Amino acid sequence: MTSTSNTQAVPGVQAYRAQLLYFRDAQKAEDDACEWISDGLLVVRDGHVDQCGDYDRLAPGLAPGTEVRDWRGHLIVPGFIDTHIHYPQTDMIASPAPGLLPWLEKYTFPTEARFDDPDYAHEVARFFLDELLRCGTTTALVYCTVHPGSAQAFFEESDARNLRMVAGKVMMDRNCPEYLRDTAQSGARDSESLLNRWHGTGRQMYALTPRFALTSTPEQLGLCGELAQQYPDVFIQTHVAENRDEVKWAMELYPGRRSYLDIYDHYGLLRPRAVYGHCVWLDDDDRRRMRDTGAVAAHCPTSNQFLGSGLFDFSAARDFGLPVTLATDVGGGSSFSMLLTMNEAHKVARLSGHYLTARRMFWQATQGAARSLGLNGVIGTLAPGAEADFIVLDPGATPLLARRSAMAESLEELLFALAMLGDDRVIAATYAAGREVHRRS
Ligand code: GUN
Ligand code: ZN
């Protein structure tokens, strides 16, 4: 990469020359909305996209002295959006266990207990954010632990870097170790003060985060529903229908509910900006209900395979109009990389008879996620006006990828090679609000 600059840099303005790819904000299929510019210029002003188009058309209009970073041979796309991840599980990623519930008992809860120490929480948050940015993820929906200080630490670190992140303190008041419990009242009170402190502070946003129905009493879900009603623009995140044993236990704990999803519905937790992790064992009525209420599925393919939870049904999601986003679910998921997550999503789709194009997966990880989260026009796009969160992909990152991408005869083949052969090595640089926050060494 080289920079060209005639005289002094123009304050607040940077320009980037590269191949550009993003998706317009269309209701229709992502393919129709694809914008691909083979020699493009992205102009950023004060942290936002100012212009995005053909280099030949835009370059003559640049103010004299504007610095143009030359990323030719690379592809700039919007930063990835990971819709479900646990920052406190960073240190226990890749822990062996035969399924979700023993994994929670043996590794997750003891690790999360360490977050009563704010210094540890800050240190992990810093590593976690570095790792996200190294992998090209500029926005994530993040679970903290039950400790309010874990969310405070996370937001402070994210805010210091001016990243657009969504996070929340976990609420759980039963069926977990005593040392990790809040109460229905304290969980609601602490969540409310955190959301008042952080939702809308800089680029931070809050998510009400009941861990899952198994670890919340009806009273806790009830109070969470009241908060959801009181604060309609905050996010909601939880887990649903991940694992068969979990579904069975949920139905025992909430007798009378039609399905696991219906438990959350009963407490008013299905609505726009409600993001449900996994959704493997839903039925068609559940899918319809999610579509009708505006709730969103976060598909976590590496986690579902790692924990043996099951195969997400892409065809059923499509048939019933359920919006699907992609997520890593670290530490149940085995990688921070959204490229690797696309790779595994594609294989999960194939195993259930569905076919996911690379375009669709790039859309799901950018514009599609932004739209599902009510953040369209804000992130997930290179369209003018959006926050300048973008990444530079290197199709020559590894010898094999270089060889394969040189043979690509279409955009789909190039994107497919990046998704199937790529990981953090492909991310040459990451920019957040126009500032470089990662450069591959
Ligand atoms: N269900 C409840 N908590 C968790 C968690 O931490 N990870 C996963 N994968 N599933 C959960
Ligand atoms: Zn999870």
Side-chain angles (χ1 to χ4, degrees):
M1 192 214 71
T2 56
S3 287
T4 55
S5 168
N6 313 339
T7 52
Q8 282 165 307
V10 177
V13 180
Q14 301 90 34
Y16 305 85
R17 183 176 187 179
Q19 243 184 94
L20 306 175
L21 172 73
Y22 69 101
F23 300 88
R24 286 192 308 279
D25 188 20
Q27 189 90 51
K28 283 251 307 149
E30 69 290 351
D31 286 13
D32 299 338
C34 178
E35 289 280 353
W36 181 36
I37 303 162
S38 58
D39 182 14
L41 190 70
L42 181 69
V43 184
V44 173
R45 183 185 296 273
D46 298 330
H48 289 74
V49 176
D50 190 44
Q51 292 180 295
C52 176
D54 285 320
Y55 178 82
D56 286 346
R57 183 172 61 83
L58 296 180
L62 287 176
T66 304
E67 187 185 6
V68 180
R69 302 215 170 171
D70 191 345
W71 283 112
R72 273 178 291 179
H74 295 71
L75 174 66
I76 290 182
V77 301
F80 294 136
I81 301 168
D82 179 344
T83 57
H84 181 123
I85 188 166
H86 301 253
Y87 100 84
Q89 296 176 12
T90 302
D91 284 352
M92 50 144 298
I93 190 171
S95 291
L100 171 66
L101 299 177
W103 175 84
L104 285 172
E105 281 297 321
K106 179 154 183 212
Y107 291 103
T108 314
F109 292 148
T111 304
E112 293 194 5
R114 299 187 63 190
F115 285 76
D116 64 348
D117 172 1
D119 291 341
Y120 179 66
H122 275 277
E123 194 273 316
V124 176
R126 284 193 292 272
F127 180 91
F128 172 87
L129 291 170
D130 286 344
E131 194 61 18
L132 284 184
L133 298 172
R134 246 173 38 73
C135 289
T137 299
T138 48
T139 291
L141 268 72
V142 179
Y143 287 64
C144 303
T145 64
V146 72
H147 315 94
S150 71
Q152 180 68 19
F154 179 80
F155 280 125
E156 284 177 13
E157 296 295 340
S158 171
D159 189 44
R161 296 171 192 221
N162 196 22
L163 304 175
R164 184 161 285 288
M165 291 284 160
V166 182
K169 175 206 111 66
V170 158
M171 301 155 107
M172 51 183 187
D173 65 346
R174 67 164 161 175
N175 293 325
C176 57
E178 197 70 56
Y179 58 78
L180 271 182
R181 285 184 203 181
D182 54 12
T183 65
Q185 287 74 19
S186 74
R189 196 176 55 239
D190 290 339
S191 299
E192 186 169 24
S193 62
L194 281 163
L195 83 81
N196 282 321
R197 168 70 185 84
W198 286 107
H199 189 66
T201 296
R203 302 178 77 203
Q204 311 313 304
M205 306 183 89
Y206 197 79
L208 296 168
T209 309
R211 181 174 214 118
F212 61 165
L214 278 62
T215 48
S216 285
T217 56
E219 189 184 6
Q220 180 160 72
L221 291 186
L223 290 180
C224 186
E226 285 177 23
L227 284 174
Q229 200 172 21
Q230 211 176 326
Y231 299 96
D233 70 329
V234 303
F235 291 81
I236 298 167
Q237 57 181 354
T238 188
H239 300 81
V240 73
E242 175 177 2
N243 164 295
R244 279 189 168 133
D245 296 337
E246 172 214 17
V247 175
K248 187 163 166 282
W249 193 6
M251 298 313 292
E252 286 163 15
L253 289 170
Y254 288 87
R257 301 272 55 96
R258 193 198 69 77
S259 68
Y260 185 174
L261 185 81
D262 185 49
I263 299 169
Y264 298 122
D265 200 3
H266 180 74
Y267 293 103
L269 297 171
L270 290 185
R271 64 153 200 216
R273 289 199 164 173
V275 181
Y276 282 83
H278 304 292
C279 299
V280 174
W281 301 102
L282 297 182
D283 63 21
D284 292 344
D285 286 345
D286 292 331
R287 294 184 182 98
R288 231 183 257 115
R289 184 71 187 139
M290 286 185 71
R291 176 200 62 199
D292 291 347
T293 55
V296 179
H299 168 48
C300 309
T302 70
S303 171
N304 293 164
Q305 294 177 92
F306 178 73
L307 292 171
S309 302
L311 296 177
F312 183 83
D313 191 338
F314 280 97
S315 301
R318 179 202 54 207
D319 293 348
F320 291 92
L322 170 61
V324 181
T325 58
L326 297 179
T328 62
D329 191 31
V330 163
S334 48
S335 170
F336 278 75
S337 168
M338 289 297 284
L339 291 171
L340 214 133
T341 301
M342 292 180 198
N343 178 342
E344 298 302 320
H346 175 77
K347 294 171 188 166
V348 166
R350 289 307 305 126
L351 284 170
S352 56
H354 193 78
Y355 188 92
L356 271 183
T357 64
R359 272 190 198 200
R360 181 155 194 97
M361 294 190 290
F362 272 78
W363 175 82
Q364 280 171 331
T366 58
Q367 172 63 34
R371 178 170 248 280
S372 294
L373 299 174
L375 290 171
N376 39 330
V378 179
I379 55 170
T381 179
L382 303 180
E387 296 174 351
D389 290 355
F390 59 92
I391 57 181
V392 182
L393 305 183
D394 178 6
T398 69
L400 180 61
L401 183 58
R403 207 172 161 90
R404 179 62 189 93
S405 55
M407 301 297 290
E409 291 185 349
S410 64
L411 175 64
E412 177 62 18
E413 283 190 14
L414 173 64
L415 297 180
F416 204 74
L418 287 166
M420 295 304 126
L421 301 173
D423 52 31
D424 53 305
R425 292 169 294 180
V426 166
I427 313 300
T430 303
Y431 294 83
R435 196 170 60 86
E436 185 180 287
V437 286
H438 163 68
R439 173 81 69 93
R440 193 185 55 194
S441 55

